């Protein structure tokens, strides 16, 4: 793991690391913000998963999260959204291939060789952090959040690993990808035509079929009502229906006038970090 | 003036406008953040001038200013850093030509035709704002700030128009451009070899030669001590010496570990906006 960038920010440090990923079979880059408290104590970790077209840098530059993370004493880890490199399969579209890993483990050619983003985020990255930054990060205290495709990733990863994450939150997440065009495009290519396999990457399905809704981590969703993707791709009402059905703790905040951009994310970043921090016991 | 982009942010709106500039003889683009208070009352205006390589967008995306501007009820106007367009003279370097207007009125060929950024910021842009957004913006209450080349611009424009600006602030400004490589490169090309002409764009010179130091607006400077440009290009000690000599209200805050980036700017954005707002009577 090599540190490739570092900037002081709000009394802490914003870093970028690269490493050879055995899961994705390529070099992967991720960002870590360490709050001032990390100088003297191990701090909890919040993972941020970004949306389509993003790298690890969009969140770091645009979300305004460091100020709040510094105050709360939490670290934020932001991975890339797909494998990268010249030999990594790609398509000439923004919603498939590089920048569009959808946080799945691909099973189909030519994607399966590198597109293993579910395992990368769930297993390899936390293990790497434990090895390399274990004296700084307290990996027994984790939460996860994200935006759009990354909101989908956060919900799916959180719901499939309920003992790991203290809370889950999402901005404008793709709540029911098996039912919308983005999922209908990506899932057959990455994981084939078996719709039961798709369901393991659908937050609404996972929530509907949760064994013990009381054991689920609390979920907060923020959704702008001027979001161009809302009606066709996002479907937060489906997540709410599933939550009602099983009695899970899911709250969707709808925000008049807000769109799908980082201006929306930044506007409610403090609320989300405080929500996650509260459930992390901060 | 045409609105080309708009996003809701922190209860207000982040907009982008383009217009035909008679001063720069080309289309110019600028950003405006309007706080929620602007829905019901005319709000004071703070101008942000960006540094080398920037457009109107860097500040808007990276500085985290909207949150504080929303709370304080101030608008922020962020112009571009140079004229733009295919027929605009340029050089293949980051510190001359497009993205590097240095907020001067060029007198030399081929620059003079378009590079009139001093007059653009001081006169044309405020007049345009008064015409087009005069029911929203209170242009009798103005302050100005900026970063690096834009910190130089803010200091020079503030010191040459002391009845206009309630306060001036700057992050990592080029405090004495007539004495450093950036000025030695740009000034001869833009405004010729007459060093007396250069002095009108040198904040340290202007401060040293101020007639009535008590009448000057208060100035706050933030400077990171890990800034790679500090020793060669920025020279805040020269501004302090001039302030001491004339008894002007200039405070330079030096910050251990901070560099020249927007992570530094974002870290102290709230302090600067509160400083400017206080002197605007907010």
């Amino acid at each position: 793991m090599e540190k490739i960038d570092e900037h002081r920010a709000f009394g802490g440090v914003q870093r970028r690391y690269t490493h050879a990923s055995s899961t994705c079979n390529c070099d992967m880059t991720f960002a870590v913000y360490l709050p001032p408290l990390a100088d003297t104590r191990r701090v909890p970790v919040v993972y941020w998963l970004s949306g389509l077209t993003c790298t690890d840098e969009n969140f770091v530059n645009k979300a305004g999260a460091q100020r709040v993370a510094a105050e709360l004493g939490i670290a934020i880890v932001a991975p890339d959204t797909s494998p990268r490199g010249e030999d990594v399969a790609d398509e000439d579209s923004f919603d498939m291939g590089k920048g569009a890993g959808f946080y799945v483990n691909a099973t189909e050619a030519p994607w399966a060789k590198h597109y293993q983003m579910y395992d990368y985020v769930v297993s390899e990255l936390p293990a790497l952090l434990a090895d390399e930054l274990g004296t700084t990060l307290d990996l027994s205290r984790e939460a996860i959040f994200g935006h759009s495709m990354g909101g989908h990733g956060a919900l799916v990863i959180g719901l499939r690993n309920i003992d790991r994450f203290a809370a889950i939150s999402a901005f404008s997440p793709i709540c029911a990808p098996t039912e919308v065009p983005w999922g209908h495009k990506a899932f057959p290519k990455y994981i084939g035509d078996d719709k039961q396999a798709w369901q393991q990457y659908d937050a609404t399905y996972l929530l509907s079929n949760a064994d013990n809704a009381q054991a689920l981590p609390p979920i907060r969703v923020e959704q702008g009502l001027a979001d161009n993707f809302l009606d066709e791709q996002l479907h937060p009402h489906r997540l709410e229906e599933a939550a009602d059905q099983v009695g899970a703790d899911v709250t969707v905040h709808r925000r008049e006038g807000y769109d799908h951009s980082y201006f929306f994310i930044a506007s409610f970043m403090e609320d989300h970090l405080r929500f996650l921090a509260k459930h992390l016991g901060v």
Side-chain angles (χ1 to χ4, degrees), chain A:
Chain A
M1 183 164 115
E2 184 194 354
K3 184 168 73 181
I4 56 172
D5 199 22
E6 178 170 279
H7 302 275
R8 185 152 289 278
F10 293 95
V13 286
Q14 181 65 58
R15 291 184 187 157
R16 235 182 145 199
Y17 290 100
T18 186
H19 69 108
S21 165
S22 59
T23 305
C24 293
N25 287 305
C26 63
D27 286 347
M28 292 292 285
T29 301
F30 64 93
V32 181
Y33 178 71
L34 297 177
L37 186 64
D39 291 343
T40 53
R41 194 184 304 179
R42 291 165 79 220
V43 294
V45 179
V46 174
Y47 300 90
W48 171 265
L49 303 184
S50 285
L52 289 166
T53 77
C54 288
T55 68
D56 60 296
E57 296 194 288
N58 305 66
F59 171 81
V60 164
N61 287 324
K62 295 183 171 184
Q66 294 93 345
R67 178 184 65 87
V68 189
E71 182 199 322
L72 295 171
I74 56 179
I76 305 181
V77 174
D80 203 347
T81 56
S82 76
R84 303 281 177 180
E86 285 188 15
D87 72 324
V88 172
D90 199 11
E91 264 191 20
D92 191 17
S93 65
F94 79 101
D95 51 6
M96 185 68 205
K98 290 181 190 172
F102 277 90
Y103 305 98
V104 302
N105 291 332
T107 55
E108 306 301 298
W111 310 103
K113 182 178 177 193
H114 298 290
Y115 286 78
Q116 302 294 328
M117 289 300 293
Y118 180 87
D119 278 351
Y120 176 73
V121 172
V122 170
S123 303
E124 186 180 16
L125 182 57
L128 180 74
L129 294 171
D131 281 351
E132 299 270 3
L133 294 171
T135 58
T136 303
L137 303 178
D138 178 358
L139 289 150
S140 72
R141 292 189 290 160
E142 297 174 297
I144 191 163
F145 68 154
H147 173 232
S148 193
M149 176 183 76
H152 142 74
L155 291 168
V156 164
I157 289 171
L159 288 167
R160 285 174 60 176
N161 299 274
I162 63 170
D163 296 334
R164 281 266 306 272
F165 299 101
I168 307 167
S169 90
F171 296 83
S172 341
I174 309 170
C175 292
T178 60
E179 304 173 10
V180 304
W182 275 334
H184 291 171
K185 178 173 179 178
F187 286 175
K189 294 186 180 186
Y190 286 136
I191 50 181
D193 294 327
D194 175 5
K195 294 195 178 174
Q196 285 192 313
W198 299 10
Q199 289 168 342
Q200 293 308 307
Y201 299 108
D202 183 303
T204 294
Y205 176 87
L206 294 168
L207 193 56
S208 299
N209 290 274
D211 284 336
N212 183 355
Q214 270 63 52
L216 298 175
I219 296 174
R220 174 177 178 146
V221 170
E222 213 78 24
Q223 178 60 58
L225 293 178
D227 183 328
N228 288 333
F229 299 111
L230 174 55
D231 290 342
E232 191 177 12
Q233 304 279 12
L234 305 180
H235 293 191
H237 64 282
R238 296 285 292 125
L239 194 72
E240 283 174 312
E241 288 164 9
D244 287 348
Q245 178 190 318
V246 299
D249 180 4
V250 176
T251 310
V252 179
H253 297 261
R254 291 177 169 80
R255 301 295 185 176
E256 194 79 46
Y258 285 89
D259 60 26
H260 201 70
S261 71
Y262 265 92
F263 295 108
F264 167 57
I265 297 171
S267 297
F268 298 98
M269 180 50 59
E270 179 163 355
D271 294 333
H272 279 244
L273 284 172
R274 290 192 186 283
F275 165 78
L276 298 173
K278 185 180 75 178
H279 293 286
L280 284 164
V282 169

